Amino acid sequence: QVQLVESGGGLVQAGGSLRLSCTASGSIFSDNAMGWYRRTPGKQRELVATITTGSSTNYADSVKGRFTISKDTTKNAVYLQMNTLKPEDTGVYFCMRVWMTGSKTYALGNWGQGTQVTVSS
C-alpha cells in the first residue's frame, strides 16, 4: 500500500504562512483525488481542501481565500500553502487519498502521523 508522509508543519505567529507537503512512496496523484484534513483541539477531523485528478480544487469555508492546495505529479507530492494563519488553524494536518461522490468526500486508506501546525496569537 502506498504510504503518504506529511511534513512542513511548525510554529508560526498569527498572520504568518506555512507550506505543507505530502509525499507518496509511489505515483498516485495522477490517478487519485487528494485531500488535506486537520484535527484541531477538541474537534473531529475536518476536511480542509481537495484536489481532483484534473486539478480542480475545493476548500472548507474556514480556509477559503487563505489556503491553496496544489500537486506536482512529477515529484509525487501534494502541497497545502497556508497564508494569513489564525490561532484556530492550529492542529495536526493529514493528507489522504479521497473519493468524492456528490456532496460527500471519503478518505481512503490509513491515516499517517500528520504534521503539527501551531499558530500563536
Side-chain angles (χ1 to χ4, degrees):
Q1 186 172 0
V2 175
Q3 287 189 321
L4 300 171
V5 179
E6 304 93 344
S7 63
L11 173 63
V12 64
Q13 288 188 330
S17 298
L18 283 173
R19 187 194 195 205
L20 306 184
S21 298
C22 172
T23 55
S25 57
S27 177
I28 66 168
F29 299 130
S30 58
D31 297 328
N32 291 271
M34 300 296 298
W36 281 97
Y37 290 78
R38 66 184 179 190
R39 186 180 66 230
T40 54
K43 295 185 179 180
Q44 292 182 337
R45 285 193 184 101
E46 172 191 17
L47 178 61
V48 172
T50 59
I51 185 166
T52 68
T53 54
S55 297
S56 295
T57 59
N58 199 26
Y59 300 92
D61 288 342
S62 57
V63 306
K64 203 170 291 184
R66 300 187 298 121
F67 289 12
T68 302
I69 187 172
S70 62
K71 64 180 179 179
D72 186 337
T73 55
T74 64
K75 296 182 179 180
N76 291 335
V78 173
Y79 306 101
L80 186 67
Q81 177 67 43
M82 307 187 295
N83 298 328
T84 319
L85 282 161
K86 303 175 181 180
E88 50 264 43
D89 294 318
T90 293
V92 182
Y93 285 70
F94 305 85
C95 73
M96 294 289 285
R97 290 185 301 124
V98 296
W99 177 49
M100 295 183 284
T101 175
S103 61
K104 294 189 180 296
T105 299
Y106 300 92
L108 304 174
N110 298 319
W111 295 92
Q113 296 296 313
T115 186
Q116 174 71 46
V117 172
T118 303
V119 185
S120 63
S121 57

